[in-house]
């Protein structure tokens, strides 16, 4: 009897301690989200889950300033690219049921697509290694806008591509995941006999009791209890924003904090088959040879999230930004903690979503928040040695950097930046430098010399290296620039650009784009600040005459424009 009483008393006091801890955490979180807690401005909703239990779930601010609708934990927010995780889960469900196979040619379902040189499988779509172009960049190049209004237009744009960027399964591209998610949604619809929205509702939302979640496949559809997105500039009033796209797969899932909490609880307490498959979303994307993809933000998973160490603690991070909505999710794996924030103020809210966890994880970090370069073993290099790394370096997917020595220090800047907008490099070894930064972010520059050639390997937090070759910049005279002028046409997308010489510079433009200044990098190679003309390689006939160009950027590789009235053979 005494033991029973003792146990009950112990449980009672433990409950009091736990309750007090939760109350203290709640006060901390409330103070952090105080900036959102204003009924006259947009705000957001936040959730924290620890050890499989929701310890914080609140809404703040206005869902609609005009109607005075407040944000609650049941208010719907557009999730943006966070929608991709539901698309991937839908594919995994169909694979589990045997209705599709990972090795299926996508043309089995997308019969209107061209026959490519290499087969693209569903597995290639899942692992973001298809070789298809990023439709957002293509659409911006062709139509001068980022918004694709309907699913049918998105599919037509994707199917217009005739040549792949690379053999599927041999290379990754983060930006192409948008295209691949759209196609996966379409395969779900065609193989299941349901619309993608209905399939997700029936097979995901309803089993998980996510009653305030929907796939919006018609931008004109009216949603109940949805947050209106806003934007506000300095000294301006709030202005309404709208999501006018009906494309599904990559965007257009709307969900609430309450529903997303149910979704993320499956990472710690999986519910049935769906919960088990949700946990598979953490599977790293892989090439056919098994190699994984580490992007700047970490190792990419098929759920389109990124795994990386946050100050020494392993986490998964995911985000969505679309039409004025912002979502950020942080999952601390070993600590069994999940935090996310949803907003409607057109702002990045990752600092809030992660900052709210400070009382739970601050004492667990194994690395400082600020980089302490004084504690690092700095390699002393002479100015003469530093100057051997000077020069211009070119990354083939479209950016160039200049490295120079100033005040006995090696510095780097983007080609288009002014001389005073540089970053300082700190030597760690004879051939290795780290970019000086206060916050935790390891940008490493490693040089490799072979004879007269120097190659720079740039990595960001252990990412796949950007391989940059040192080059001798060219300065072209008006006479040397003249052969590049003319009209160039891409027949796949019916896209036409005019190239001309203005103020001694090569300029590209058309009806959808203002002047794009192209800067020569080396012979027949130009770059610009445009999001699609990052790298142009001009093509010549065997006679030496320019007959077109090939463009490359992250998301579009080797798209050919032909010069009108030029010889169209022998690239």
């Amino acid at each position: 009897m005494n033991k029973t009483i003792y146990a009950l008393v112990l449980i009672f006091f433990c409950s009091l301690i736990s309750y007090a801890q939760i109350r203290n955490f709640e006060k901390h979180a409330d103070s952090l989200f105080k900036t959102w807690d204003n009924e006259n401005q947009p705000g957001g909703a936040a959730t924290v889950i620890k050890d499989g239990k929701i310890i914080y779930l609140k809404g703040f601010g206005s869902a609609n300033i005009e109607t005075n609708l407040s944000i609650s934990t049941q208010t719907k927010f557009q999730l943006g690219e966070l929608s991709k995780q539901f698309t991937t889960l839908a594919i995994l469900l169909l694979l589990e049921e045997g209705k599709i196979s990972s090795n299926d040619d996508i043309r089995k379902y997308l019969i209107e697509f061209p026959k490519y040189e290499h087969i693209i499988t569903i597995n290639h779509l899942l692992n973001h290694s298809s070789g298809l172009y990023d439709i957002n960049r293509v659409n911006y190049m062709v139509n001068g806008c980022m918004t694709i209004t309907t699913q049918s237009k998105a599919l037509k744009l994707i199917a217009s591509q005739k040549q792949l960027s690379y053999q599927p399964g041999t290379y990754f591209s983060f930006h192409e995941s948008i295209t691949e998610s759209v196609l996966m949604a379409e395969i779900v619809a065609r193989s299941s006999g349901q619309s993608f929205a209905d399939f997700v509702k029936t097979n995901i939302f309803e089993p998980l009791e996510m009653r305030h979640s929907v796939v919006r496949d018609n931008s004109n559809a009216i949603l109940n209890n949805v947050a209106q997105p806003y934007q506000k500039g300095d000294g301006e009033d709030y202005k309404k924003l709208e999501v006018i796209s009906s494309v599904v797969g990559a965007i257009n899932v709307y969900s609430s904090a309450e529903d997303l909490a149910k979704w993320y609880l499956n990472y710690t307490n999986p519910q049935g088959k769906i919960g088990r498959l949700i946990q598979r979303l953490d599977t790293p994307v892989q090439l056919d040879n098994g190699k994984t993809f580490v992007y700047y933000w970490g190792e990419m998973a098929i759920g389109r999230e990124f795994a990386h160490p946050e100050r020494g603690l392993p986490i998964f991070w995911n985000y969505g930004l679309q039409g004025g909505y912002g979502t950020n999710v942080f999952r601390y794996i070993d600590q069994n903690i999940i935090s996310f924030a949803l907003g409607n103020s057109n702002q990045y809210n990752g600092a809030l979503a992660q900052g709210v966890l400070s009382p739970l994880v601050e004492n667990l970090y194994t690395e400082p928040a600020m980089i302490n370069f004084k504690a690092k073993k700095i390699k002393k290099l002479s100015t003469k040695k530093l100057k051997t790394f000077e020069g211009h370096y070119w990354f083939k997917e479209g950016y160039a950097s200049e490295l120079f020595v100033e005040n006995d220090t090696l510095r780097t800047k983007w080609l288009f930046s002014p001389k005073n907008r540089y970053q300082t490099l700190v030597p760690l070894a004879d051939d290795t430098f780290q970019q000086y930064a206060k916050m935790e972010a390891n940008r490493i520059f490693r040089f490799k010399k072979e004879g007269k050639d120097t190659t720079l390997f740039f990595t960001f937090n252990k990412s796949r290296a950007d391989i940059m070759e040192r080059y001798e910049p060219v300065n072209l005279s008006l006479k040397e620039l003249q052969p590049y002028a003319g009209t160039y046409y891409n027949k796949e997308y019916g896209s036409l650009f005019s190239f001309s010489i203005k103020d001694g510079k090569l300029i590209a433009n058309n009806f959808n784009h203002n002047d794009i200044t192209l800067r020569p990098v080396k012979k027949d190679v130009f770059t610009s600040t445009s999001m699609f003309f990052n790298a142009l390689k001009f093509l010549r006939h065997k006679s030496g005459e320019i007959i077109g160009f090939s463009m490359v950027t992250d998301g579009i590789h080797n798209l050919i424009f032909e010069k009108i009235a030029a010889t169209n053979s022998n690239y």
Side-chain angles (χ1 to χ4, degrees):
M1 183 66 176
N2 290 337
K3 290 183 178 179
T4 302
I5 294 174
Y6 175 78
L8 290 173
V9 171
L10 183 62
I11 292 172
F12 174 73
F13 278 108
C14 286
S15 298
L16 286 178
I17 294 171
S18 178
Y19 176 76
Q21 290 174 336
I22 291 175
R23 285 294 298 153
N24 288 335
F25 178 79
E26 185 177 19
K27 290 179 181 179
H28 156 77
D30 286 346
S31 65
L32 190 69
F33 290 107
K34 188 176 181 180
T35 55
W36 277 358
D37 198 12
N38 185 329
E39 292 299 320
N40 298 314
Q41 65 182 37
T47 302
V48 176
I49 301 169
K50 187 177 188 314
D51 297 328
K53 296 180 180 180
I54 299 171
I55 64 171
Y56 192 80
L57 178 62
K58 287 189 178 183
F60 307 89
S62 178
N64 192 304
I65 296 174
E66 294 174 290
T67 63
N68 296 319
L69 177 67
S70 298
I71 292 174
S72 74
T73 60
Q74 296 180 351
T75 301
K76 300 180 186 72
F77 293 80
Q78 158 81 250
L79 300 185
E81 291 192 31
L82 217 68
S83 304
K84 293 177 181 178
Q85 59 189 346
F86 299 98
T87 306
T88 299
L89 179 60
I91 287 288
L92 294 181
L93 282 167
L94 290 172
L95 289 171
E96 179 98 348
E97 295 169 0
K99 294 183 178 179
I100 61 175
S101 169
S102 61
N103 292 320
D104 282 344
D105 185 337
I106 64 171
R107 294 177 67 250
K108 178 179 178 179
Y109 310 96
L110 307 171
I111 58 175
E112 72 273 29
F113 271 53
K115 185 176 182 179
Y116 301 108
E117 181 180 359
H118 303 282
I119 291 174
I120 303 173
T121 67
I122 291 175
N123 193 56
H124 293 140
L125 299 182
L126 268 175
N127 287 278
H128 306 308
S129 60
S130 68
L132 293 168
Y133 298 152
D134 168 19
I135 53 171
N136 278 353
R137 288 174 187 254
V138 169
N139 188 60
Y140 183 65
M141 177 188 73
V142 175
N143 299 311
C145 65
M146 292 292 288
T147 300
I148 305 172
T149 54
T150 67
Q151 188 80 350
S152 60
K153 288 182 179 179
L155 293 172
K156 184 177 180 180
L157 198 62
I158 300 169
S160 296
Q161 180 179 345
K162 300 300 185 288
Q163 301 293 325
L164 299 176
S165 285
Y166 45 80
Q167 182 177 338
T170 64
Y171 192 77
F172 293 110
S173 174
F174 161 68
H175 291 289
E176 290 173 11
S177 65
I178 298 169
T179 301
E180 292 153 339
S181 295
V182 171
L183 294 186
M184 286 194 288
E186 192 65 22
I187 289 172
V188 168
R190 296 189 187 187
S191 63
S192 69
Q194 296 178 277
S195 70
F196 178 71
D198 286 344
F199 182 91
V200 173
K201 176 184 177 182
T202 303
N203 294 278
I204 299 176
F205 293 154
E206 289 181 352
L208 293 176
E209 299 183 356
M210 297 173 66
R211 299 184 181 90
H212 309 286
S213 299
V214 63
V215 176
R216 191 185 196 187
D217 57 3
N218 183 344
S219 61
N220 293 318
I222 297 174
L223 299 183
N224 295 321
N225 197 13
V226 63
Q228 165 69 46
Y230 295 93
Q231 176 177 288
K232 186 179 187 296
D234 292 337
E236 298 178 353
D237 293 330
Y238 283 106
K239 297 178 181 178
K240 291 195 296 185
L241 298 175
E242 298 292 342
V243 177
I244 59 175
S245 173
S246 300
V247 175
V248 296
I251 58 172
N252 275 330
V253 169
Y254 286 74
S255 190
S256 67
E258 186 177 290
D259 277 7
L260 274 186
K262 295 175 181 178
W263 168 266
Y264 282 109
L265 280 169
N266 279 274
Y267 281 93
T268 51
N269 299 316
Q271 301 298 309
K273 178 175 70 174
I274 292 181
R276 175 171 51 82
L277 292 178
I278 286 175
Q279 293 193 330
R280 282 185 55 190
L281 297 177
D282 287 348
T283 305
V285 295
Q286 295 183 28
L287 296 180
D288 288 352
N289 63 9
K291 187 176 180 180
T292 61
F293 176 38
V294 182
Y295 193 57
Y296 297 149
W297 302 323
E299 184 177 61
M300 190 174 182
I302 62 173
R304 200 265 183 194
E305 55 198 351
F306 300 90
H308 70 269
E310 182 70 22
R311 295 176 57 188
L313 300 182
I315 74 165
F316 275 99
W317 171 68
N318 205 347
Y319 80 100
L321 296 171
Q322 185 72 31
Y325 295 96
T327 304
N328 274 269
V329 183
F330 293 86
R331 291 195 290 123
Y332 283 70
I333 307 306
D334 293 345
Q335 289 70 38
N336 206 10
I337 297 172
I338 303 170
S339 171
F340 63 81
L342 310 169
N344 65 330
S345 60
N346 197 38
Q347 293 180 347
Y348 174 79
N349 50 36
L352 291 172
Q354 191 172 32
V356 72
L357 298 179
S358 179
L360 304 178
V361 299
E362 186 61 40
N363 294 331
L364 303 176
Y365 287 126
T366 60
E367 296 180 7
M370 311 295 281
I371 299 176
N372 183 6
F373 277 92
K374 292 182 179 180
K376 288 182 175 290
K377 294 182 178 179
I378 307 300
K379 180 76 173 181
K380 180 65 176 176
L381 298 180
S382 66
T383 301
K384 181 179 179 180
K385 175 68 174 178
L386 292 174
K387 283 185 172 294
T388 64
F389 302 111
E390 283 189 322
H392 291 77
Y393 292 81
W394 172 246
F395 178 49
K396 64 181 181 180
E397 291 194 356
Y399 71 86
S401 295
E402 179 185 357
L403 274 71
F404 59 95
V405 175
E406 184 179 79
N407 297 330
D408 298 326
T409 303
L410 187 63
R411 308 189 191 281
T412 181
K413 75 174 191 69
W414 185 39
L415 183 65
F416 289 93
S417 297
K419 196 76 171 182
N420 61 352
R421 291 284 301 276
Y422 59 79
Q423 301 295 329
T424 297
L425 302 184
V426 179
L428 303 180
D430 286 339
D431 59 357
T432 304
F433 294 75
Q434 181 173 346
Q435 181 177 312
Y436 181 81
K438 293 182 178 180
M439 300 298 289
E440 181 211 14
N442 291 315
R443 296 175 175 88
I444 301 297
F445 296 70
R446 184 173 63 84
F447 298 86
K448 183 178 181 181
K449 294 180 178 291
E450 292 183 356
K452 295 182 179 180
D453 297 328
T454 301
T455 304
L456 167 59
F457 297 83
F458 169 74
T459 58
F460 181 90
N461 289 339
K462 299 182 180 180
S463 66
R464 177 183 67 186
D466 290 354
I467 303 175
M468 308 180 69
E469 297 179 352
R470 185 158 65 179
Y471 69 93
E472 288 297 327
V474 295
N475 293 306
L476 302 179
S477 65
L478 288 176
K479 181 179 179 180
E480 292 170 321
L481 280 174
Q482 198 58 48
Y484 298 102
T487 302
Y488 295 80
Y489 179 71
N490 174 260
K491 58 186 177 183
E492 292 171 74
Y493 301 105
S495 182
L496 196 73
F497 277 87
S498 174
F499 285 61
S500 59
I501 313 299
K502 294 182 182 179
D503 299 324
K505 297 177 181 179
L506 184 63
I507 303 295
N509 58 31
N510 64 13
F511 290 112
N512 292 320
H513 295 280
N514 295 325
D515 288 356
I516 300 169
T517 300
L518 296 162
R519 184 165 175 172
V521 176
K522 48 187 178 179
K523 179 178 172 57
D524 290 338
V525 176
F526 287 74
T527 186
S528 79
T529 58
S530 160
M531 70 175 292
F532 51 88
F533 279 171
N534 297 129
L536 300 187
K537 168 66 177 176
F538 283 86
L539 310 171
R540 293 181 180 269
H541 185 264
K542 57 186 178 182
S543 65
E545 179 186 9
I546 292 176
I547 56 173
F549 66 80
S550 170
M551 59 172 286
V552 175
T553 184
D554 186 6
I556 304 176
H557 292 70
N558 307 318
L559 180 62
I560 302 295
F561 279 74
E562 297 178 354
K563 192 173 186 181
I564 293 179
T567 304
N568 296 321
S569 61
N570 298 326
Y571 285 158

